[in-house]
Amino acid sequence: MNVVVAIAKDSFAARATRVAAIAAKYADAVDADARFPRETVEALRTEQLLSIQIPVALGGEGASITEIAELCSILGQSCAASAMVFAMHHIKLSSLVEHGKGSEWHQDFMRRIAKNQLLLASATTEGGIGGNLRNSICAVRVEGDRCFLEKDATVISYGAHADAILITSRSHPDAASSDQVLTVFLKDQYSLERTIEWDTLGMRGTCSDGFLFKGEASAVQTLPKPFAEIAAQSMLATSHLLWSGVWYGIAADAVARAQAFVRAAARKSPGVPPPGALRLAEVSSLLQMVKSNVVAGLKVYEEAKADADRLSSMAFAVAMNNVKIASSEMILPIINHAMLICGIMGYKNGTPFSLGRHLRDAHSAQLMISNDRILGNTSTMLLVHKQDTSLLG
């Protein structure tokens, strides 16, 4: 009881900073072994950060997406894979918080998440459609009060370590591919057969293997809102914003290492401008651009939350897409600048200025969801939607 009281008195940032210290300790091992960051997740549970988005009435702390994005950036400065697990968990939790209010089962499930600090995973990709999350081949089958689902999920990040999976499918066997629902399956309600191993350039600790998913659950575990509505009003926006928080954290730590390198050089030669000083000033401005982009996106989302029509509008979708594109494409030049500043000490592994992991993790940003896919969707919307060109619009 004393631990819970102490945690409640601490700010979200203070709790996340303690978790980040643990994540940093194991970040290189998580990356090298491509293993799940179990120490970070246990620390998140201890600090009760897996449930902060849940309303207070259901046992959570009512944290906003803006507050959660800040925690993503804090964790991202220590271990990008750990931060991404935290972000993906809260992206799925946002679907429950925003769209499970009218369902007694989903409200009870949120209470369980808060009480037991359950970790949520997502299964939206599928063999045959790739990352096109707004289409499904598989279909949920309802018999009486039970539902059954089998899905060839080409990616379920940390699926083997999750306590529950939120999975998309067609709403019934005769439904169109875009007529989708989102169903919660608890760990004891499904089996996973690994079909694809996760051996990648970066983000190795997310353990995003592919699985053949087979589940049976109560039919009431399907969220009452169509997935099209869930995706438009919560999932896509929170994905772009929380992912961007993670990517900002990666870039911020790279710049911090570059700054430490320049300061160390300055101490060795007082009165002489150290190598890299001008590049440091330049990269600082680039980092501020990313921060401003993410903060502006969070502001748009928080203002739009009270208006379902605005959340489903083309203007909102374009704005969120642009946040993702800009932040994901800017962090690679930032890390490259930091690498040039730190030189061989940034290129080598095992130094205080090493940036290899940062660079590899950052390359995932343009691929999840593919920037080409997002730009294609945005271009289609811009054919019928007039862009707001006012400075403060």
Side-chain angles (χ1 to χ4, degrees), residues 267-321:
R267 285 193 295 270
K268 292 178 181 177
S269 304
V272 178
L278 290 178
R279 282 195 181 275
L280 180 62
E282 183 180 19
V283 78
S284 175
S285 70
L286 295 177
L287 183 66
Q288 184 172 327
M289 288 173 61
V290 175
K291 180 177 180 179
S292 298
N293 173 56
V294 179
V295 169
L298 288 165
K299 183 174 184 292
V300 169
Y301 177 69
E302 298 290 5
E303 290 176 348
K305 275 188 68 175
D307 185 345
D309 289 338
R310 185 176 175 187
L311 285 175
S312 299
S313 70
M314 287 188 184
F316 180 75
V318 169
M320 293 299 103
N321 285 354

Side-chain angles (χ1 to χ4, degrees), residues 142-165:
V142 178
E143 296 181 4
D145 62 353
R146 306 296 292 172
C147 69
F148 303 83
L149 180 61
E150 182 172 325
K151 180 171 185 172
D152 176 14
T154 50
V155 173
I156 305 181
S157 294
Y158 57 93
H161 306 275
D163 298 303
I165 295 176

Side-chain angles (χ1 to χ4, degrees), residues 98-172:
E98 298 300 329
H99 303 282
K101 298 173 184 175
S103 164
E104 183 178 344
W105 189 91
H106 294 95
Q107 288 187 342
D108 286 341
F109 181 50
M110 283 187 271
R111 292 187 184 96
R112 288 182 60 185
I113 294 170
K115 180 180 178 182
N116 300 316
Q117 293 297 295
L118 303 181
L119 180 66
L120 308 182
S122 169
T124 57
T125 59
E126 186 175 3
I129 60 169
N132 186 1
L133 79 159
R134 282 295 292 110
N135 282 278
S136 291
I137 295 173
C138 66
V140 67
R141 177 169 51 88
V142 178
E143 296 181 4
D145 62 353
R146 306 296 292 172
C147 69
F148 303 83
L149 180 61
E150 182 172 325
K151 180 171 185 172
D152 176 14
T154 50
V155 173
I156 305 181
S157 294
Y158 57 93
H161 306 275
D163 298 303
I165 295 176
L166 279 69
I167 186 167
T168 52
S169 67
R170 288 184 294 136
S171 60
H172 56 85

Side-chain angles (χ1 to χ4, degrees), residues 323-342:
V323 170
K324 194 273 182 181
I325 293 293
S327 57
S328 65
E329 292 191 349
M330 185 63 73
I331 61 167
L332 284 170
I334 289 174
I335 298 170
N336 191 54
H337 269 69
M339 183 82 75
L340 291 172
I341 292 168
C342 296

